[in-house]
Amino acid sequence: MCGIVGYIGDKNAAPILLEGLSKLEYRGYDSAGIAVAENGKVQLHKAVGKLENLIKKTDGGKKMTETIGIGHTRWATHGKPTENNAHPHAANRFTLVHNGIIENEAALRKHYLEGVKFNSDTDTEVIVHLLEKFVKEDKDVKVAIAHIIGELEGSFALAIIDKEDMNTIYAVKNKSPLLVGKGDGFNMIGSDAMAMIANTDTFYEIHDKEFAVITRDSIEIFTSYAKKVERDSFHAEIDVSDTEKGTYPHFMLKEIEEQPLVIRRIMQQYSDEDGNLVVDKDIIKDIKASDRIYIIACGTSYHAGLVGQTYIEQLAKIPTMSYIASEFVHNMPLLSKKPFFIFISQSGETADSRAVLVKVKEMGHKCLTITNVKGSTLSREADHTMILHAGPEIAVASTKAYTAQMAVLAVLANALSDNPMNLKYELAKTATVMESLCNNRELFHELSKEFFATTRNCFYIGRSTDYYICLEAALKIKEISYIQAEGFAAGELKHGTIALIEKDTPVVAFITREAVNLNTRSNIKEVRSRGAKVLTISLKRISAHSDQIVIGDVDEMFAPLVSALPMQYLAYYAALIRGCDIDKPRNLAKSVTVE
Ligand code: G6P
């Protein structure tokens, strides 16, 4: 969702802002804009649709000369994606961009801004008018910003410039992500490190309800009482090349094929000096002191949680349930006496998951966040963190973070076990089988042509952990190819949904568990008799001659990690054949920072 970049230094700001915004495209957006300033004049440039449109409109900012500016990609919440609603928004003196939602905007308008003329439908415009008003009353920008923080309810990351002081950018943060980047002779702000990594690898966090005052050569952070705080900087471990596609046509394909490498990296990162896979002792102690684990996540991360739950129950013998965060928060089950919470989130910023985290922390429960982003909100606010080490995932549709989540959950489950397995051996085998699947991508391309080129709908069926893969497979193909898809427990199909099967309806069946092999194959016969066109994906040792995709043998437990690849490839090629925007599908955001 919305992305923010800001720059103050001695270079032309516009190209740096546009480049930074391009690194935030993955978050999802539907319009973009920049504001650059010089000699008391602020120029606004906005465009609807892809960032490309703004780049064309401004000629890449090449002819501009302003050395201070802020930029924004907007994912519409209040008002349609029009130029008027695109950020930055300006009042008389201040110009700002905003990521988040102001929940009390109606009350603020009524209480403070009666008679003020608004130019957009956004909640953001309320902030800029409020700032204008408070500065007049408070006579000091810092005091007025602290005042604003006290008044606004909801989530807000803000970048603000002031026509009367062209040497300063103000950054404000509450619940939405925002980092300050420290440079030599310049400073930056951005929604994440990737937006700034081409310029600097040194960053400062701003905590919730804090603000920063940034000039070319100084960064000061203040509390909401305008009291200065001291903060250490940190270095982000991002390789600039990780944020580029390289020779791949799409980030999604690159990220699918990075999966063997990611599994090996996880093995390396979680190994102790003797080469054993280990987990922080404090995490193990806290989990062992609990009587039940609650896994909380959204989307793909929830699907990884379902697989992780079976790992924990089988290996660690601790009762575990996975829940969708947005449901759990308002419909909490009766908790056990000593619950432990695991939050799974690629971005570490998902507002739905955070809402649960805040609630369970208030209740005094311990929790662990499993995330790809060190220092992300969910990581900072949990008692413990385990990092996915998947490297930046740019395509909106999650692939490598998903398998990394399952692998890290396996590492955790095994570390909790009184009778651990040789996980290193199993994961190494898994990575090798993944690699052989990557070498076979043309098969998936051909099958996608046959099954998904024109269909309106499709079904994925499987039992046990294959069912969990079906849920993710359906989500993947929906996200990027817009085919209406459902993932079903194979045995449940006949209880209603089979009514939708017609001649040539594509049904993809996953068969990787011996115990349910014959049951799923019976369900295949049932749909075939009703005209379905069936694509079967199976593990080698239980495969049948007619199965179109046969996956090299791994321990059944790790089959979800390998069967993820064919389903990701099938979705990728379906979207490619249908001419969809694979890395940036319509309406979706990668980092969903509103509830
Ligand atoms: C969005 C993304 C999904 C992702 C979900 C959870 O909906 O489009 O790909 O699975 O958020 O995100 P998280 O960062 O918490 O894993």
Side-chain angles (χ1 to χ4, degrees), residues 70 87-90 94-98 124 127-128 131 158-160:
I70 53 178
H87 300 207
H89 289 284
F94 294 95
T95 302
L96 60 79
V97 294
H98 166 219
T124 302
I127 312 173
V128 76
L131 182 60
L158 304 170
I160 307 168

Side-chain angles (χ1 to χ4, degrees), residues 79 89 135 146 173 180 182 201 205 209 350 453 498 507 528:
H89 289 284
V135 165
K173 181 190 177 306
V180 184
K182 183 180 168 358
D201 67 350
E205 283 179 353
K209 302 218 163 168
T350 302
I498 200 164
V507 175
R528 231 184 222 134

Side-chain angles (χ1 to χ4, degrees), residues 419-483:
N419 195 9
M421 66 196 306
N422 186 347
L423 186 61
K424 217 162 181 189
Y425 170 76
E426 298 300 342
L427 287 179
K429 202 154 68 176
T430 301
T432 307
V433 172
M434 281 178 162
E435 231 153 34
S436 63
L437 288 162
C438 294
N439 293 334
N440 217 359
R441 60 156 108 128
E442 256 325 292
L443 168 69
F444 309 126
H445 194 174
E446 289 308 314
L447 287 168
S448 277
K449 276 188 206 151
E450 189 185 333
F451 282 82
F452 302 122
T454 55
T455 189
R456 272 178 47 240
N457 61 358
C458 71
F459 295 88
Y460 291 88
I461 59 169
R463 289 170 179 249
S464 175
T465 46
D466 286 334
Y467 165 47
Y468 302 148
I469 282 288
C470 289
L471 295 176
E472 174 60 10
L475 179 65
K476 213 75 319 178
I477 205 160
K478 273 188 279 205
E479 281 179 311
I480 58 169
S481 74
Y482 319 134
I483 296 171

Side-chain angles (χ1 to χ4, degrees), residues 297-302 344-350 353 378 393 395-398 405 472 475-476 479 588-592:
C298 307
T300 294
S301 299
Y302 167 68
I344 309 177
S345 174
Q346 185 280 129
S347 63
E349 299 295 344
T350 302
S353 298
L378 285 169
E393 191 180 65
V396 166
S398 181
Q405 286 164 343
E472 174 60 10
L475 179 65
K476 213 75 319 178
E479 281 179 311
L588 297 186
K590 184 148 188 81
S591 183
V592 183

Side-chain angles (χ1 to χ4, degrees), residues 552-591:
D553 283 330
V554 293
D555 187 296
E556 280 192 0
M557 211 177 194
F558 303 103
L561 279 104
V562 287
S563 48
L565 272 76
M567 67 87 171
Q568 294 166 349
Y569 272 119
L570 290 172
Y572 171 80
Y573 285 117
L576 187 74
I577 294 159
R578 295 165 80 105
C580 302
D581 189 350
I582 296 179
D583 286 338
K584 287 169 253 149
R586 71 182 180 210
N587 304 342
L588 297 186
K590 184 148 188 81
S591 183

